[in-house]
Amino acid sequence: INLTAIDLHEEGKIHQIKFLNEQIGFACGGSLWTNGFIYKTTDGGNTWTEILESPNIVFGLDFTSEDTITAGGFSGWLWQTVDGGNYWKYSEIGPDYLPLTAIAYTTSDRVVFSMGFKYFIGGKGWFNTQTGAHSGYDELIAMEDVYAFNENEAIFCGYGNIFKTYDNASSYQPKEIPNAYYKAIDFEGDKGLCVSYNGLVMYSANKGETWDKVTKKGSTMSFKNKFEDVDIKNNTAIICGHDGTLY
């Protein structure tokens, strides 16, 4: 594997990179209270062009095409574009201190979101990208990530819990899972993984209905890493976290 560093000349962290296909992808990030950004690539990541500049950090985004994008950031800020980033519509759907941590489209005009900050209050909800109507957030517990299966089913992970909705975020059901600070969740078909800051890796074979702990080969112990993200493609998962370790 040959790796080439590409400098976006931006302050702050890149929080998410997400590809629509092999050529078109987006990256978002920034620094708290300082700047935020979204970049786009059309050549598989070789070059990047800024399509959104914000005064605050952008944590997550999702899209239905290269033109239709919804992104979320700190203080419940939400941005939408339907022309590839030439014009952005801005909304505020949360309190001043809580970030929208992840976004997922369930239909062409509706997204679900996770919201929260570390161990503090947060929640989950929905937003209609056409009308601007939204649920607010349920003020239960900090949520870090969301994955949408279809127009009705989505699954959320966060501090100590995993919740699943079966009715497009009108209600949520908690799932039985060990207590941990869950940071990311991803699925391919019915099979998925959820990873935690505490080193837990949880596996589901039935769209998040039940979960089993994944351990290192030959051991009954959990991983000792602080995991931040997971991605599953073609029946292969990559998990990343602190200390520069990939699994």
Side-chain angles (χ1 to χ4, degrees):
I1 298 175
N2 295 318
L3 299 178
T4 301
I6 300 173
D7 190 353
L8 298 181
H9 303 288
E10 289 281 1
E11 295 182 5
K13 299 178 180 178
I14 296 175
H15 278 270
Q16 185 180 39
I17 297 177
K18 198 168 188 176
F19 275 78
L20 175 67
N21 53 44
E22 290 186 357
Q23 297 300 313
I24 298 171
F26 303 89
C28 64
S31 297
L32 190 61
W33 303 120
T34 302
N35 72 308
F37 53 78
I38 298 176
Y39 278 78
K40 178 182 179 181
T41 180
T42 59
D43 59 8
N46 292 309
T47 60
W48 295 83
T49 302
E50 189 175 45
I51 60 173
L52 173 70
E53 183 179 0
S54 164
N56 213 335
I57 194 168
V58 183
F59 281 104
L61 58 80
D62 198 16
F63 39 73
T64 59
S65 70
E66 66 173 304
D67 294 325
T68 303
I69 309 159
T70 299
F74 203 72
S75 296
W77 290 10
L78 188 144
W79 299 267
Q80 304 164 250
T81 183
V82 294
D83 61 6
N86 293 310
Y87 170 77
W88 290 89
K89 182 180 179 182
Y90 165 76
S91 305
E92 289 187 33
I93 62 172
D96 288 342
Y97 58 93
L98 283 181
L100 286 168
T101 51
I103 300 279
Y105 273 92
T106 56
T107 66
S108 61
D109 61 358
R110 187 173 169 115
V111 298
V112 289
F113 62 82
S114 58
M115 176 179 281
F117 184 67
K118 293 187 177 179
Y119 313 108
F120 306 119
I121 193 170
K124 48 207 174 295
W126 57 264
F127 178 84
N128 189 300
T129 59
Q130 296 296 319
T131 66
H134 62 87
S135 63
Y137 69 105
D138 54 13
E139 300 187 35
L140 290 176
I141 200 164
M143 292 283 106
E144 288 284 345
D145 200 11
V146 56
Y147 178 90
F149 295 102
N150 50 53
E151 64 180 15
N152 292 314
E153 294 178 283
I155 195 162
F156 304 77
C157 71
Y159 186 62
N161 281 282
I162 290 177
F163 293 88
K164 188 172 180 181
T165 179
Y166 301 87
D167 52 15
N168 206 349
S170 294
S171 63
Y172 310 94
Q173 293 186 15
K175 297 301 175 182
E176 186 174 340
I177 196 164
N179 185 48
Y181 183 17
Y182 295 102
K183 296 286 288 184
I185 193 166
D186 196 28
F187 276 81
E188 187 175 49
D190 293 346
K191 299 177 181 179
L193 293 173
C194 187
V195 300
S196 84
Y197 192 76
N198 313 74
L200 278 178
V201 178
M202 303 300 297
Y203 168 76
S204 175
N206 51 16
K207 296 171 69 173
E209 297 300 324
T210 59
W211 294 87
D212 296 303
K213 184 170 71 172
V214 178
T215 58
K216 287 184 178 181
K217 187 175 181 180
S219 171
T220 60
M221 302 298 292
S222 300
F223 298 85
K224 295 182 179 181
N225 303 76
K226 297 177 180 179
F227 294 127
E228 291 283 350
D229 205 359
V230 57
D231 186 69
I232 307 173
K233 291 287 188 302
N234 300 320
N235 209 34
T236 299
I238 296 177
I239 300 171
C240 65
H242 293 221
D243 304 320
T245 303
L246 290 175
Y247 286 92

